[in-house]
Amino acid sequence: MAAAKSKLFVIFSNINNKGRLVLLLVFVFVLLLLLHKVRHSDMVKSEPVFRRTLKRVRSSEDEFCLVSYNILADMPVRANPNGYLPLPMVEKLKEPDPKTSPRHRQLMKEITWLKPDIINMQEVDTPYFSVLEEELGQSGFEGSHEPHFKGKNGLATFYNTKKFRLEKIVTYNFNELLSRLFDLSQFDKNNKFNQRVVIFSHLIEVKTGKSLVV
């Protein structure tokens, strides 16, 4: 080990000042890359709810980024408070003020960091959609929302208006699609309690005019 260190010292001593400067710049560059990786590998390590590694996936302006969240509505959490993360209820619920709740702040932090062009969300109730619509609207997003049940949570899609424009929205009831494949009478009470919906947002990319359905 000592011999190896001595050999490296001799090699370094024989390098002129210009060569030493180049080595120093390379060392600083590698160090900055490592610091950047450590800083961005886990942006939420200290946060109480979402502890995970995030990664940006878009690499050029010719690509777009879509993120999808099941944000977990408050209703099932209240109905089964012990069925989710072992956290205080204040960190599980978005109520009473969604704008200041830890979950909402973390969601906005992630979306800001990921810089998506399209955002798909599940379990979005109507009051919370208004909060999302207002806050994401400040970043250039527009969105649509369709509840599964009247007054209950449902699906939401947001898109960046600098990247896309909306052509149309097509909504289907799950039972409507199911009835095309099966006779609903074979299901309990014609499956009438499953009133979930699916929405298809037909978007046009502003730059190319190409169509996209999400």
Side-chain angles (χ1 to χ4, degrees), residues 3-193:
K5 288 183 178 179
S6 178
K7 188 174 182 180
L8 287 174
F9 179 78
V10 171
I11 294 174
F12 187 79
S13 299
N14 291 332
I15 299 176
N16 57 28
N17 290 335
K18 185 177 180 179
R20 292 177 184 178
L21 179 60
V22 171
L23 285 176
L24 179 61
L25 290 175
V26 171
F27 174 79
V28 171
F29 178 74
V30 172
L31 181 61
L32 289 174
L33 284 178
L34 291 174
L35 289 174
H36 182 272
K37 184 176 181 180
V38 170
R39 181 180 178 184
H40 294 283
S41 63
D42 187 358
M43 60 161 291
V44 292
K45 186 174 293 183
S46 62
E47 297 293 339
V49 180
F50 298 97
R51 294 182 178 178
R52 58 185 176 184
T53 298
L54 297 179
K55 181 180 179 181
R56 292 191 181 99
V57 296
R58 179 175 48 195
S59 59
S60 75
E61 289 300 320
D62 295 327
E63 298 176 344
F64 67 89
C65 175
L66 183 151
V67 298
S68 181
Y69 286 91
N70 185 324
I71 62 173
L72 185 60
D74 285 352
M75 182 178 66
V77 176
R78 288 195 299 268
N80 185 17
N82 297 320
Y84 300 92
L85 292 175
L87 297 171
M89 285 296 286
V90 67
E91 293 180 7
K92 293 182 181 181
L93 298 176
K94 295 182 290 294
E95 297 178 348
D97 184 2
K99 291 183 179 181
T100 61
S101 69
R103 291 185 61 212
H104 175 73
R105 293 200 310 269
Q106 183 60 37
L107 177 63
M108 291 298 103
K109 182 178 179 180
E110 287 195 19
I111 290 175
T112 300
W113 189 84
L114 288 168
K115 297 181 180 179
D117 300 300
I118 302 171
I119 307 167
N120 286 342
M121 293 184 178
Q122 302 175 53
E123 295 201 32
V124 181
D125 54 38
T126 301
Y128 188 49
F129 174 75
S130 299
V131 174
L132 292 170
E133 189 175 35
E134 177 185 351
E135 196 153 337
L136 290 173
Q138 297 173 9
S139 299
F141 284 87
E142 291 184 0
S144 57
H145 176 245
E146 187 68 32
H148 291 305
F149 309 92
K150 187 175 181 180
K152 304 297 182 181
N153 68 78
L155 306 176
T157 298
F158 293 90
Y159 59 93
N160 190 328
T161 55
K162 292 182 180 179
K163 188 81 172 181
F164 295 98
R165 62 179 175 84
L166 180 66
E167 182 181 21
K168 62 180 178 179
I169 297 174
V170 180
T171 304
Y172 291 101
N173 181 280
F174 179 77
N175 276 349
E176 178 186 349
L177 296 178
L178 189 65
S179 66
R180 299 180 183 182
L181 301 174
F182 303 99
D183 180 2
L184 294 183
S185 63
Q186 65 181 296
F187 298 98
D188 183 38
K189 298 181 180 179
N190 293 328
N191 206 38
K192 69 176 183 178
F193 295 109

